[in-house]
Amino acid sequence: MITADAGVRPFRLNRDAFLALLETGLVPEGRGTELFDGEIVTEMPQGPFHLFVYEALEAVFADAGLLGRRIRGGSTVGLSRFDLVDPEFVWIERPRGSFGLPTPEDVRWAIEVSVSSRAYDLSDKRAKYAEAGIPDYWVFDVTARRLHRFTRPEDGAYTRVAVDGPDGTFEMPGGLGTIDLGAIYAFPADAS
């Protein structure tokens, strides 16, 4: 970290500069490369537990006819001028044919699946989603087999927080259906 008396200032990328770097190939494109406070952040690759929960959620959304219609997987969202995030799933509402990345006004619900990124998703990233006014932010905490639900953003923070698990059925926002947490975390007996 650079101290204030060092006589230098760090350079922060805005999202247009970051996207230009992605297009040139200077920054690798793909899941886990995000812009956070103007800095390029990379997350660890997905492991088997992360993938299992991701696929379980994908099946829930597909079975409900939501996947691709309302719920999208792997969509990049521009939260601010200096923040681009890639939630696992996101509910986007905007006119058909819209061009450009979704903005906070387009997002109704964002979902992260956390194993190695748990601390980041539950603190820094949660704060960014709240500051952007995303109405619902859920974190599937794979290691603890918990569901963290953050709702009602106000003044840059979520005013309602619920931590549930490892079982229970929960209503998705907007009356989209339910999620059975026990089924999401139903890892095979031989998983280690």
Side-chain angles (χ1 to χ4, degrees):
M1 173 163 297
I2 298 173
T3 61
D5 61 356
V8 296
R9 292 185 342 214
F11 177 79
R12 290 174 61 201
L13 292 172
N14 64 34
R15 69 183 189 190
D16 292 335
F18 176 73
L19 291 171
L21 288 173
L22 286 173
E23 289 174 10
T24 64
L26 290 171
V27 173
E29 187 175 14
R31 291 270 323 132
T33 304
E34 299 179 331
L35 186 66
F36 197 85
D37 282 334
E39 296 179 3
I40 298 171
V41 177
T42 58
E43 295 181 24
M44 297 296 294
Q46 296 177 4
F49 287 97
H50 185 286
L51 182 60
F52 184 90
V53 171
Y54 179 91
E55 289 178 343
L57 287 167
E58 187 176 54
V60 168
F61 299 138
D63 291 348
L66 299 170
L67 198 59
R69 284 187 45 237
R70 287 197 170 154
I71 305 294
R72 299 179 194 172
S75 289
T76 298
V77 176
L79 292 181
S80 76
R81 184 171 176 227
F82 296 102
D83 299 291
L84 287 171
V85 295
D86 290 327
E88 265 73 33
F89 296 98
V90 64
W91 174 8
I92 297 172
E93 288 282 338
R94 65 184 193 165
R96 187 175 291 251
S98 295
F99 185 78
L101 295 176
T103 64
E105 294 76 27
D106 302 321
V107 177
R108 304 292 173 260
W109 181 27
I111 297 170
E112 297 284 353
V113 175
S114 295
V115 180
S116 62
S117 63
R118 179 182 188 271
Y120 174 58
D121 292 338
L122 291 174
S123 60
D124 298 339
K125 199 175 258 191
R126 178 189 75 197
K128 287 291 179 185
Y129 281 114
E131 287 170 14
I134 305 302
D136 284 271
Y137 173 55
W138 288 18
V139 177
F140 286 82
D141 180 354
V142 176
T143 305
R145 296 184 184 189
R146 299 273 181 226
L147 171 59
H148 301 260
R149 295 180 292 143
F150 303 96
T151 59
R152 296 193 181 169
E154 191 175 300
D155 298 325
Y158 285 107
T159 60
R160 286 215 167 147
V161 177
V163 181
D164 305 291
D167 297 306
T169 302
F170 301 93
E171 286 288 327
M172 292 186 253
L176 297 178
T178 60
I179 292 180
D180 178 358
L181 201 55
I184 297 298
Y185 291 134
F187 300 116
D190 62 346
S192 56

